[in-house]
Amino acid sequence: MPTKPAGTLYRGKVGMWSWVLHRITGVAIFFFLLVHVLDTSLVRLSPEAYNAVVSTYKTPLVGLGELGLVAAILYHALNGVRVILIDFWRKGVKYQNVMFWVVVVVALIAFAGFAPRHLIHVFHLG
Amino acid sequence: MATEFEEMGAVPSFTVTLFVRRYNPEDGQEARWQDFDVQVHGTDRVLDALHKIKWEMDGSLTFRRSCAHGVCGSDAMRINGRNRLACKTLIKDLDITQPIYVEPIKGLEVEKDLVVDMNPFYQAYRDIKPFLIASDKPEKERLQSAAEHSKFEDTTKCILCAACTTSCPVFWTDGQYFGPAAIVNAHRFIFDSRDEAAEVRIDILNDKEGVWRCRTTFNCTEACPRGIEVTKAIAEVKQAILRGKP
């Protein structure tokens, strides 16, 4: 039956989707770090090459990417604390659901503090 | 018969559509969905609908069930995307305006239709030594206080249905992972004051494929038909490993 999916997606709840998001942000941060290590190591090769590469980062597109990077790090860091508490705090399992929403709210507040300042720099509005 | 029920005004009946995942290793075809319109009563469970299909519509439909009352743990399957026992899932509790999707549990090889190969699951269970290990000879009963018992009471409820293990994203991609059910049954003995081999089981689970593969997705806790707090039990074993004792 071609119209039907090849098996349904498992309908997990907050626990599963928070883990999926944790994995996605983790992989994204890893690839950023990979690029970051490569471009920083250019400075040992030749400062001119380093300057050339870094100057290409000063575009709105990369600026928006940095916004995404900060969002990913905020979520990954805070949810990482949640995972540690689930494993090693006696009541962590009981409050895992609440803790997820605390992570979301704290991440949003921190992001709201960062995003306007960053966007002003990116689009030279200041 | 239908009119008899209507006259009694007792149990309402209605038609539901079931999409069942079919697979026959002998016909050379891939797994596919097959739909059945089934007349069911308001008190029926998904298992009753599967019985009706097998007994009245298509005898080739293959699934496991033994006691049919939530004790033996034979009929774990994925119902509307979540692992459930078919015998404990009332159809009226599902959204019956939509078709009900029934498919085999994930991560174990499908043998036919809803039947999977449970051997890897049982092997992980055997590996954690699910039996009392004590050095003295049992000349009288081994006494235990209520407080001592309460430490592992929750994990004695396991019926080995595999709903937890096959709801675990880690187990889907890494069949070597012991899985929630094996850890639950290890927990049952690790925290039992009468048992003397907690360190042995802790050592078995302090492995690359042991408790540290748990990513706390809580799918297992949500899937357990016995209401065992599986993720909590796994976390307690993690903490026991760090302490080196229960």
Side-chain angles (χ1 to χ4, degrees):
Chain A
M1 200 162 286
T3 51
K4 293 292 162 198
T8 63
L9 196 64
Y10 197 89
R11 283 173 59 209
K13 294 186 175 172
V14 160
M16 177 170 129
W17 294 112
S18 67
W19 166 75
V20 169
L21 196 55
H22 197 78
R23 183 57 60 93
I24 291 170
T25 53
V27 170
I29 294 165
F30 167 77
F31 279 109
F32 160 74
L33 281 176
L34 194 70
V35 173
H36 185 56
V37 167
L38 289 176
D39 63 31
T40 308
S41 65
L42 271 179
V43 82
R44 286 179 64 93
L45 219 63
S46 100
E48 290 76 31
Y50 175 82
N51 283 341
V53 168
V54 170
S55 68
T56 66
Y57 290 172
K58 291 173 180 164
T59 61
L61 193 68
V62 176
L64 292 175
E66 286 167 338
L67 203 63
L69 176 69
V70 169
I73 290 173
L74 275 173
Y75 175 78
H76 198 83
L78 291 166
N79 192 56
V81 174
R82 170 178 165 269
V83 171
I84 292 169
L85 288 174
I86 289 169
D87 276 344
F88 301 119
W89 176 39
R90 226 154 26 88
K91 291 180 181 165
V93 172
K94 190 173 163 194
Y95 294 116
Q96 64 95 4
N97 209 20
V98 180
M99 286 197 293
F100 172 75
W101 294 110
V102 171
V103 164
V104 169
V105 168
V106 173
L108 281 177
I109 291 171
F111 188 74
F114 167 78
R117 284 186 72 90
H118 178 69
L119 290 175
I120 286 168
H121 287 304
V122 169
F123 294 103
H124 309 294
L125 303 169
Chain B
M1 286 301 280
T3 53
E4 235 175 84
F5 278 111
E6 278 158 29
E7 279 162 20
M8 283 155 62
V11 185
S13 76
F14 44 86
T15 304
V16 289
T17 305
L18 273 90
F19 275 90
V20 183
R21 193 86 175 147
R22 302 296 305 268
Y23 171 70
N24 182 352
E26 285 164 10
D27 69 6
Q29 282 182 278
E30 304 251 310
R32 64 209 169 271
W33 291 100
Q34 187 177 357
D35 59 319
F36 299 93
D37 290 328
V38 189
Q39 186 80 13
V40 295
H41 297 296
T43 51
D44 280 351
R45 307 152 301 163
V46 172
L47 181 65
D48 296 308
L50 292 175
H51 276 153
K52 205 155 185 179
I53 294 170
K54 185 168 178 69
W55 293 338
E56 296 169 21
M57 301 162 85
D58 183 348
S60 71
L61 179 67
T62 307
F63 56 91
R64 285 196 182 105
R65 73 100 174 84
S66 298
C67 79
H69 292 85
V71 179
C72 73
S74 298
D75 64 348
M77 48 190 77
R78 194 141 59 110
I79 298 166
N80 281 354
R82 289 180 178 142
N83 283 0
R84 295 286 182 264
L85 294 185
C87 59
K88 282 187 85 169
T89 306
L90 284 171
I91 290 169
K92 73 176 178 61
D93 292 342
L94 303 169
D95 178 10
I96 52 168
T97 62
Q98 300 291 321
I100 297 167
Y101 289 86
V102 181
E103 58 199 306
I105 46 180
K106 197 171 166 166
L108 294 166
E109 207 173 311
V110 179
E111 293 190 329
K112 192 181 178 192
D113 294 344
L114 303 174
V115 173
V116 298
D117 177 13
M118 297 283 279
N119 281 318
F121 174 79
Y122 294 139
Q123 189 56 51
Y125 173 63
R126 282 188 205 103
D127 288 345
I128 55 91
K129 302 183 188 293
F131 40 80
L132 186 86
I133 299 175
S135 51
D136 59 330
K137 283 191 181 138
E139 281 154 8
K140 57 182 178 62
E141 69 268 39
R142 300 170 201 278
L143 295 177
Q144 183 170 56
S145 72
E148 284 170 333
H149 182 73
S150 68
K151 283 184 187 167
F152 65 93
E153 186 176 24
D154 197 38
T155 46
T156 62
K157 297 187 292 190
C158 178
I159 54 174
L160 295 173
C161 67
C164 60
T165 294
T166 58
S167 75
C168 176
V170 177
F171 183 78
W172 298 335
T173 51
D174 175 10
Q176 295 299 307
Y177 173 42
F178 274 91
I183 300 171
V184 157
N185 285 282
H187 178 284
R188 184 249 168 274
F189 287 99
I190 288 171
F191 291 92
D192 188 337
S193 59
R194 299 164 295 186
D195 189 90
E196 293 166 18
E199 278 77 11
V200 175
R201 297 192 186 87
I202 281 175
D203 192 48
I204 291 168
L205 290 175
N206 186 14
D207 181 88
K208 186 165 71 75
E209 304 294 351
V211 286
W212 306 115
R213 296 239 61 188
C214 168
R215 293 289 182 274
T216 62
T217 71
F218 289 89
N219 279 7
C220 50
T221 304
E222 195 272 331
C224 179
R226 305 301 307 266
I228 300 171
E229 291 184 84
V230 183
T231 314
K232 188 178 175 207
I234 297 173
E236 284 172 1
V237 175
K238 285 174 182 168
Q239 291 161 24
I241 289 174
L242 290 187
R243 283 194 302 269
K245 59 183 171 55

